[in-house]
Amino acid sequence: MKALSLSLVTVVLCVAQVSAHARDTQHLLPIADAIQMKDRDGVLDGSVKFYFAGQKHPVVLQKLGTDISNQKTNAFGKSDEQACKWVFLSTLVQFQKKAQQLGGNAVVNLVSYYKKNELADSEKFECHAGAVMAGVALKGDIVKIGDK
């Protein structure tokens, strides 16, 4: 019984050590490269426009709310860059759905928001990739904008 308890403790300590050293690689990737994927896959329908922090946008007619989308994707068998682009698009799709539900046609002031750390960049987004998962978190204001 004592040997079994000692073995169990050893296994728990080994698992804890492996978990403590799990990969969590930060990537700052170009927004434009990831958005180009939408044209191939058709995941964004164009009904909602996206404007990252610092980007000029048409006048906001009505702010409908602020939202956060924190998406993860399976990164197994994919490069970090490929997984990050995919999960970035999934995050935008979630914003598109939320904007449509609220009657909005744009998301403005988009920032990376990984672990609630804000990174405002109009050209790059933050993604974290591990051995089996990749994640992107964005925060933005859902709005109605004018046509011009």
Side-chain angles (χ1 to χ4, degrees), residues 37-74:
M37 287 177 56
K38 77 163 177 73
D39 294 330
R40 285 198 319 255
D41 298 334
V43 295
L44 297 173
D45 65 15
S47 65
V48 175
K49 304 293 181 200
F50 299 98
Y51 299 93
F52 288 80
Q55 288 182 320
K56 291 189 181 229
H57 54 78
V59 65
V60 172
L61 303 174
Q62 183 181 8
K63 181 177 175 182
L64 302 169
T66 298
D67 200 20
I68 298 167
S69 181
N70 184 358
Q71 299 295 306
K72 306 282 188 246
T73 194
N74 179 347

Side-chain angles (χ1 to χ4, degrees), residues 1-10:
M1 183 70 174
K2 197 173 193 177
L4 179 61
S5 295
L6 184 57
S7 295
L8 184 59
V9 168
T10 303

Side-chain angles (χ1 to χ4, degrees), residues 80-95:
D80 284 2
E81 186 174 338
Q82 182 184 20
C84 285
K85 286 178 181 179
W86 182 256
V87 74
F88 175 77
L89 285 178
S90 295
T91 305
L92 292 183
V93 167
Q94 292 305 309
F95 269 107

Side-chain angles (χ1 to χ4, degrees), residues 105-124:
N105 62 358
V107 182
V108 299
N109 304 322
L110 274 164
V111 294
S112 290
Y113 199 63
Y114 199 82
K115 292 187 178 179
K116 298 184 181 179
N117 294 315
E118 208 169 285
L119 174 70
D121 192 321
S122 62
E123 296 180 7
K124 295 185 185 229

